Amino acid sequence: MPTSDSLQQALKQYFGYDSFRAGQREIIEAHLAGRDTLAIMPTGGGKSICFQLPALIKTGITIVVSPLIALMQDQVTALKENGIGATFLNSSLSYRETQQRSQAILNGTIKLVYVAPERLFAEQFLEFLNIIKNSIGIAGFAIDEAHCVSEWGHDFRPEYRQLSRLRQIYPDVPVIGLTATATERVREDIAQQLQLQQPYIHIASFNRTNLYYEVVPKQGTEQSYINLLQQIKRSQGSGIVYCLSRKRVNEISDRLREDGIDAIPYHAGLTPKVREENQTRWIRDDVQIMVATIAFGMGINKPDVRFVIHYDLPKNIEGYYQESGRAGRDGEDSHCTLFMGYQDLETIKYLIAQKVDRHTNEPLEAEQRIAQQQLRQVVDYAEGAICRRTILLRYFGEGFAGECRNCDNCLTPKPMEDWTVESQKFLSCVARAKERFGAGHIIDILRGSLNKKILQHGHDQLSTHGIGKDRSLDEWRQLSRSLIHQGYLTPTTDGYAILKLNDRSWEVMRGQKNVLLPIEREAEPAIASEREQTPDRSVDVDILFERLRLLRKNLADEQEVPPYVIFSNATLNQMAERQPTTRKDFAKLSGVGDKKLEQYADDFMAIIRQHHEKYPPAETSEDDYADPKQKSVAPKSKISKASTQRETLAMYENGADIDEIARDRGLKPATVWTHLVQLIESGYAINCDRLVSPERQTVIYEAIEAIGGDSLRNLFDHLREEYTYDEIKIVRAIWQNEKEPL
Ligand code: ADP
Ligand code: ZN
């Protein structure tokens, strides 16, 4: 058994990480000690290393069972990139390929073999396993996405049920199960189904501290689209926009593209080929945004998803947590935004009411009830005025004190309004209708409706009939839900059905308690957009980051792998900040192991050295982070908001011309010109000779000196229309900068 120190060394050597994340070490030690293990960690918690590191340390081969081909490929690619022998066997391979891979396994160059469960129990493979056992040895079985074994989970796969046979055939080989599914029932089921022997169980917290949660009200189709667009424009990096239906996916992705956003669709109605293409383009950062139904995402391991927007209401919290959880696997700050619309709510309710038995056409009442209850939990989350994390974690049985400082409710608490009088009207109406009706009917009474149901029950005769005409339907609905959330009304368990009074209701009616109603904020989440920035970083670090990112993208394209497989954003950020120029320093970056050092250090350091020609690094002692604020040539004003300008600039500095930049970035050339003008205006020294020849610069400069820089039009005329507006703008920006240093 290796010492703790040697475990840490192995972690650095193979994966480039300096320390274990919470739980990883304990799980690895248990597995290395030959114990069965169950690791329950949220998405991004770092499950893979829990079986990959032991696999490298132990003799023999580790068999990894994984349900999806995409998942297998992804992990194998990432392992190979770290110089680790890994392969997968599944139905996508030809006979020949399978033979070749089997040979490689027996040659001993492979440490991890990924297989699909159905393949595992094919006669041939069982024989092959036996050969492995007798020649090289089987180090362990890792069951990824272990919740697939449970019917109680959200993703049951019958093939997983057979996995208990592993125990019977190989009673001495330790099994490790891994999953991100939290409910207790599923956990117990996994241990039982896999026949784990007195397993070491690790349950990590499900709190994803790097995720910012927010809810934005939907305000009409047009306005909510604009809100979505703004939200996306404020965001950087990869994102997913989830919609409820295929039609919506198409609509939204089309519109976003028309508005100059780099988005593509994904849903089950597209051909498998198109789906796969779109997925690959998104994973490789060829497009920024995937607009998708929830058919998208399972098995996607992209670690640098910066935002997940639910443009339509999700159907349950578990799904919402999984889907939104695809953001920020790499631990960097990311956004989860939910658009809450009452129209969507009605649509989903309608769909639930349509759930009928396929054969008898009878309504599936039990299912409908569960679905209604789940929907109510979503609404509780969306309308809640307390810390979003508290609500989410409570759902998974985890207590959380609140005040997370990383959700909209914590950062900008909703303003509260006193709705005591309206609440009294509502509650006494419930009482007068004898606690036998739902919110819809109560609201009808309050608003003075004379519909059939009202007349039938004689409710037009109630003293509360028509006393609530001054409030809108939506306002009453919101109040009724809030009364339930705040415990002033008790609904019967099935969804929203019948409202009952309780002790607290009477306190309100007797005037002993005031009811406050949270008022929806405007859709502008100010704090959220600020969080996206890295305001402490100077522009030259950002520019270096962009240049490193471009190099990463080029290297990734050469190898046809996703960029994150080469280096994560976290590694790239560290690289841009520390700017190592020796192998020794480069090796210290988190995420740089032996293999990556050898393969990439020179390329990336070449960019850093080039960068230093223009921006000499500040004097720092060997181990310091270079303090960006001390950079000698840091421009005078911060433009860190303008990530898109930075991207343009990085490309320009890498030698691209305006048209190339425009084409590559899907922008108009005019926009690229504007970027450069703005950069100059904000104090940044760009060599413009490639934009406007030095001779032409001189002529324009003299013209500005002669007649001033106030009117572009006058300058254009003065120069007898021989110079373009773009050229004039560039030179004018330089001139202004020299005249009035910021
Ligand atoms: P999960 O399978 O639990 O969703 P992964 O195993 O894919 O998570 O890990 C998520 C991300 O965290 C990956 O980019 C991985 O390389 C990174 N990671 C895992 N362990 C560590 C660690 N100890 N230090 C730094 N990064 C880590
Ligand atoms: Zn919070």
Side-chain angles (χ1 to χ4, degrees):
M1 176 101 187
T3 61
S4 346
D5 252 344
S6 67
L7 268 189
Q8 202 155 331
Q9 267 170 19
L11 180 70
K12 178 66 189 168
Q13 180 192 342
Y14 292 115
F15 298 100
Y17 299 132
D18 297 320
S19 54
F20 287 104
R21 293 222 183 120
Q24 283 178 329
R25 176 190 288 280
E26 292 77 8
I27 295 167
I28 290 169
E29 283 175 347
H31 187 60
L32 283 175
R35 217 175 145 184
D36 282 351
T37 312
L38 182 54
I40 296 159
M41 287 181 165
T43 309
K47 287 184 281 298
S48 319
I49 280 176
C50 296
F51 62 85
Q52 289 171 347
L53 193 63
L56 295 172
I57 293 172
K58 286 168 108 173
T59 50
I61 281 185
T62 296
I63 307 287
V64 186
V65 180
S66 175
L68 291 171
I69 292 177
L71 270 181
M72 296 183 197
Q73 275 170 343
D74 214 59
Q75 293 218 350
V76 169
T77 312
L79 285 165
K80 283 189 177 158
E81 209 39 58
N82 278 319
I84 296 165
T87 191
F88 62 84
L89 296 170
N90 62 34
S91 51
S92 72
L93 300 177
S94 69
Y95 176 76
R96 254 180 67 82
E97 264 179 296
T98 310
Q99 289 303 97
Q100 277 170 357
R101 291 187 182 198
S102 307
Q103 207 51 53
I105 294 168
L106 295 175
N107 285 344
T109 47
I110 298 288
K111 292 302 286 180
L112 292 116
V113 179
Y114 286 73
V115 284
E118 59 273 20
R119 153 83 50 163
L120 192 56
F121 296 105
E123 234 12 84
Q124 257 184 341
F125 192 81
L126 285 176
E127 273 168 34
F128 184 53
L129 263 189
N130 243 334
I131 299 174
I132 295 180
K133 175 159 193 271
N134 295 327
S135 52
I136 312 173
I138 300 176
F141 291 107
I143 318 294
D144 209 2
E145 311 288 341
H147 60 276
C148 292
V149 80
S150 171
E151 279 178 296
W152 301 109
H154 53 90
D155 197 27
F156 174 55
R157 298 189 177 229
E159 319 87 73
Y160 260 65
R161 270 294 150 88
Q162 290 201 47
L163 289 173
S164 60
R165 284 179 61 198
L166 284 180
R167 243 298 97 77
Q168 286 140 27
I169 309 175
Y170 298 105
D172 300 328
V173 180
V175 175
I176 174 171
L178 308 112
T179 177
T181 297
T183 64
E184 199 170 330
R185 192 169 209 176
V186 176
R187 278 174 214 161
E188 283 168 5
D189 214 19
I190 296 172
Q192 204 183 9
Q193 294 291 337
L194 295 179
Q195 298 192 14
L196 303 182
Q197 313 287 310
Q198 297 171 331
Y200 170 75
I201 301 181
H202 177 86
I203 303 173
S205 165
F206 271 64
N207 184 5
R208 305 271 314 274
T209 50
N210 61 317
L211 299 188
Y212 175 84
Y213 293 103
E214 69 184 338
V215 179
V216 178
K218 252 187 183 175
Q219 304 149 317
T221 320
E222 197 50 33
Q223 187 56 41
S224 27
Y225 174 77
I226 291 169
N227 291 346
L228 174 72
L229 188 64
Q230 282 171 346
Q231 180 104 6
I232 288 175
K233 283 191 171 159
R234 276 198 298 267
S235 310
Q236 299 171 22
S238 281
I240 308 175
V241 177
Y242 280 115
C243 301
L244 209 54
S245 66
R246 298 173 190 186
K247 188 165 153 259
R248 293 275 281 191
V249 166
N250 290 337
E251 264 169 34
I252 299 294
S253 66
D254 285 351
R255 248 194 111 170
L256 285 174
R257 260 198 317 281
E258 278 164 28
D259 286 323
I261 303 283
D262 200 11
I264 44 172
Y266 187 106
H267 56 69
L270 300 170
T271 63
K273 186 161 167 288
V274 173
R275 283 208 301 265
E276 200 186 311
E277 268 170 25
N278 286 1
Q279 181 172 315
T280 305
R281 287 173 65 200
W282 179 75
I283 288 178
R284 295 201 182 152
D285 291 343
D286 291 330
V287 287
Q288 190 200 357
I289 290 166
M290 184 64 98
V291 185
T293 60
I294 56 172
F296 177 75
M298 170 73 179
I300 303 285
N301 265 340
K302 190 169 168 52
D304 51 1
V305 178
R306 291 279 71 86
F307 61 94
V308 174
I309 297 175
H310 280 70
Y311 191 55
D312 296 321
L313 210 57
K315 289 179 186 140
N316 56 59
I317 291 281
E318 168 114 36
Y320 181 66
Y321 184 81
Q322 297 286 348
E323 287 142 26
S324 61
R326 292 186 180 127
R329 270 169 186 262
D330 54 8
E332 306 270 302
D333 285 350
S334 309
H335 266 234
C336 306
T337 307
L338 174 69
F339 276 74
M340 168 68 187
Y342 291 101
Q343 196 56 44
D344 298 344
L345 186 60
E346 296 306 313
T347 309
I348 300 178
K349 277 192 198 165
Y350 174 81
L351 291 175
I352 292 173
Q354 302 303 305
K355 279 185 193 245
V356 291
D357 189 301
R358 237 181 289 160
H359 304 294
T360 63
N361 241 5
E362 294 284 313
L364 290 168
E365 279 174 25
E367 258 184 57
Q368 289 184 353
R369 232 192 334 264
I370 293 172
Q372 275 163 354
Q373 217 170 351
Q374 288 179 331
L375 184 60
R376 219 185 84 202
Q377 286 163 334
V378 174
V379 178
D380 283 355
Y381 172 78
E383 287 189 336
I386 61 167
C387 174
R388 306 270 181 215
R389 261 189 179 70
T390 306
I391 308 179
L392 278 179
L393 292 174
R394 189 197 289 147
Y395 178 85
F396 292 108
E398 195 177 325
F400 183 76
E403 303 257 354
C404 74
R405 309 295 306 148
N406 200 16
C407 76
D408 53 356
N409 282 348
C410 283
L411 291 186
T412 38
K414 289 182 189 171
M416 303 296 263
E417 238 174 60
D418 192 319
W419 277 60
T420 309
V421 174
E422 287 82 356
S423 302
Q424 287 167 339
K425 289 182 185 172
F426 193 99
L427 294 171
S428 55
C429 191
V430 172
R432 287 188 206 233
K434 308 235 164 5
E435 300 176 58
R436 280 171 43 218
F437 296 87
H441 185 71
I442 300 296
I443 294 170
D444 282 345
I445 301 174
L446 289 167
R447 301 202 355 112
S449 161
L450 292 171
N451 68 23
K452 204 164 126 209
K453 196 168 162 192
I454 298 257
L455 297 178
Q456 218 171 29
H457 290 94
H459 284 167
D460 53 328
Q461 302 303 315
L462 294 180
S463 58
T464 50
H465 188 256
I467 60 171
K469 286 184 181 158
D470 53 331
R471 294 285 179 188
S472 72
L473 182 61
D474 274 346
E475 284 175 315
W476 282 116
R477 279 187 182 154
Q478 203 203 335
L479 175 67
S480 73
R481 279 190 299 266
S482 189
L483 287 171
I484 296 171
H485 297 163
Q486 298 188 46
Y488 294 116
L489 264 176
T490 314
T492 45
T493 47
D494 41 355
Y496 284 95
I498 294 167
L499 300 177
K500 301 276 182 196
L501 300 174
N502 58 32
D503 293 347
R504 282 165 68 86
S505 333
W506 290 105
E507 285 172 1
V508 174
M509 282 190 274
R510 286 195 296 262
Q512 292 161 340
K513 256 213 166 86
N514 287 347
V515 178
L516 298 179
L517 195 67
I519 302 304
E520 284 307 326
R521 286 175 284 261
E522 288 298 303
E524 174 74 15
I527 312 263
S529 55
E530 277 158 28
R531 286 183 50 83
E532 223 103 43
Q533 325 294 342
T534 40
D536 292 339
R537 223 156 81 158
S538 72
V539 180
D540 69 303
V541 173
D542 284 337
I543 287 167
L544 178 57
F545 176 83
E546 287 303 329
R547 297 190 64 183
L548 297 170
R549 206 166 68 94
L550 286 170
L551 172 64
R552 177 179 70 170
K553 175 67 176 141
N554 290 339
L555 292 170
D557 286 348
E558 262 169 37
Q559 300 176 44
E560 302 191 338
V561 295
Y564 60 77
V565 169
I566 296 191
F567 285 126
S568 70
N569 280 358
T571 303
L572 227 53
N573 270 318
Q574 223 181 54
M575 203 184 294
E577 277 158 17
R578 295 195 193 180
Q579 312 184 351
T581 48
T582 63
R583 285 197 161 221
K584 188 162 152 260
D585 286 343
F586 199 90
K588 287 182 192 150
L589 300 174
S590 170
V592 178
D594 289 357
K595 179 72 196 277
K596 290 191 176 172
L597 178 66
E598 182 196 318
Q599 197 168 353
Y600 298 121
D602 291 341
D603 286 344
F604 283 87
M605 287 194 304
I607 296 281
I608 295 171
R609 288 200 197 97
Q610 249 180 36
H611 183 77
H612 284 172
E613 284 166 20
K614 189 152 182 186
Y615 306 97
E619 294 293 311
T620 48
S621 68
E622 196 185 71
D623 265 327
D624 276 351
Y625 282 81
D627 181 351
K629 289 187 203 87
Q630 309 212 328
K631 289 288 159 62
S632 48
V633 244
K636 299 153 225 160
S637 93
K638 286 243 171 73
I639 51 158
S640 58
K641 259 188 190 156
S643 70
T644 175
Q645 296 178 353
R646 288 198 307 263
E647 229 172 292
T648 293
L649 184 55
M651 291 184 77
Y652 180 75
E653 304 236 299
N654 271 7
D657 66 26
I658 299 267
D659 286 340
E660 279 170 317
I661 298 172
R663 210 172 325 118
D664 218 79
R665 303 202 51 213
L667 299 170
K668 297 199 187 90
T671 311
V672 177
W673 280 101
T674 309
H675 284 171
L676 294 169
V677 169
Q678 286 166 346
L679 282 159
I680 298 170
E681 280 170 359
S682 52
Y684 180 68
I686 299 175
N687 181 346
C688 294
D689 294 354
R690 277 167 47 222
L691 297 168
V692 190
S693 71
E695 301 79 52
R696 289 173 77 81
Q697 282 187 39
T698 311
V699 178
I700 299 172
Y701 202 96
E702 280 165 1
I704 300 172
E705 292 272 83
I707 68 165
D710 291 342
S711 164
L712 269 182
R713 175 80 221 182
N714 289 350
L715 280 168
F716 186 70
D717 293 343
H718 184 84
L719 289 161
R720 292 184 304 277
E721 304 183 8
E722 282 163 15
Y723 296 80
T724 67
Y725 277 111
D726 287 329
E727 288 177 313
I728 299 171
K729 278 192 218 159
I730 290 276
V731 178
R732 186 176 64 165
I734 300 171
W735 174 81
Q736 257 162 3
N737 245 355
E738 287 172 7
K739 285 276 155 261
E740 32 186 312
L742 296 169

